[in-house]
Amino acid sequence: MQTYDVIMIGAGHNGLTCAGYLLKEGYSVLLLEKRSIPGGAATTEEALPEDAPGFQFNLCAIDHEFIHLGPVVEELELTRYGLEYLFCDPVTFCPHPDGSYFLAHRSVEKTCEEIARFSPRDAEKYGEYMAYWQQVIKAITPIFNAPPKSVIDILGNYGLSNIQELLSLVGGVDKALDLIRTMLSSPKDSLGEWFDAEFVKAPLARLASELGSSPSDKTLAIGAMMMGLRHDPGMARPRGGTGALTQALVNMVNDNGGTILCDQVVEQILIGNNGRAEGVRVAGGQEYRATKGVISNIDAQRLFLHMVDPADSAAYAKGLRERLERRIANNNDSIVKIDCALSEAPRFVHHDHRDEYLTGSVLIADSVRQVEIAHALPEIGEIPLEDPSLYVVVPTMMDPSMAPPGCHTLWVEFYAPYQIHGAEGTGKFGTGWTEELKNQVADRVIDKLSEYAPNVKDAVIARRVESPADLSDRLGVHKGNFYHIDMTLDQMVFFRPLPEIANYQTPIEGLYLTGAGTHPGGSISGLPGRNCARVFINAQKPITQNIKEAGSWLKSRFTAVTNLAR
């Protein structure tokens, strides 16, 4: 029987990140991955080897913003292991039916100049709007980089600039209350307060909805940060695709003595008579033992509902199983993912096409109402096909290495329900999704894109379509939710996934959580992995680690006070 200090369930980018920090502290780590390759949602694959050889596709994650808010790349020396980020500029293009368009550069000033072509008033307001949200981002970033219940860690992350931004935001009772009111409002309400023009409001609503809910949903005004992040710190993609991040992490793990085993489906957590997680059993019966702990890179629902024996849950985590089953909300919102091999890049001929339109992401968001319907219908099990809203990327415009010379790849995301209403018990996993249906949806999506870029239909060499049920099957995510659980305010920070397990530790001794279902949530950041590693290390060496962190905090506070005095 093989024994390690730590066993990691899943080799997604957060699991690999967490393993990297633990390996650097001297722990032996085994990562068990259900797929034939590591990476989880962060892979780049030749997904159509017969019909489109040489085309590399990002099968899920593509645009990286949150990872630049933390120190993971630097601390794990990922550039030394082959990672190179290419920053997008422009970052967003959204054509509007009336001939206007939203073209956002990394520079806020250049973006305002583009908006001023069609609305001088909104151009001025955009600068003010982004200045406000940049303050918010800088004020809350320290919270992302620490376990949500670790006050010393959070305070230790606040440098001079973060403190100044926080004081600016909440200076005085009225400003503090107004900030709270803003956070409790919806993206739709907030955008209506700032802007007049639909060509500005619609793409901002579409990006805010990337958190996984409709723009009219209250408490999700924070979604405005999605556009703010594209300005600063910026939006980037690894050269070679998202899988290049995974490869750099794999290289780092291997270099530090870690072990990654693929095609290993974990079926059960082994819990001893003392109530401690002691290892795992995989399909086929093989057991692996862990002397220090087991860390799950999969969501808490799948972990406790399918991998922890109900008797063990009842004995050592009383009530948690039922709370995970009933308390956590998933709103049925997933995606149909379409990958196409193209003979030429899309051309937006009705909007004076420029190749720079395709550098960042292209949003098909004709109106806030269209975006609202795109999310609202999936929640009730309906497919919003009448007027699709899309998120589109042509990765090869910035990285031609991902396709044969002169050719391109197309990445399309379309919101769709995991469970189709009225089709329960049919299709894949009883969701109603069939091969015929997903291809009908893909046809309509390509038709919509062709209204703006007419050459797309004839340019398609081959395509791959993945339904929400397919996505759930490939990644092992619960009900097609690649964020593991919804990113609504009631399921964020110290509520993610539930208050009692929000700090990465579970009631079962030695069993930990990381991944998108933990703080600070989904997207490519590595921060759930980094934060979990800190909690794990602290649990092994509580006195040493607490002294070390307290010293770092006092040093940072002394530096901040000294700088303020100047």
Side-chain angles (χ1 to χ4, degrees), residues 64-66 68 87-88 91 106 228-236:
H64 301 193
E65 298 112 343
F66 284 90
H68 310 297
F87 279 84
C88 301
V91 292
R106 194 172 177 185
L229 292 173
R230 295 181 172 215
H231 291 302
D232 184 18
M235 182 179 81

Side-chain angles (χ1 to χ4, degrees), residues 34-45:
K34 73 180 284 286
R35 292 194 68 210
S36 59
I37 60 172
T43 65
T44 302
E45 304 175 42

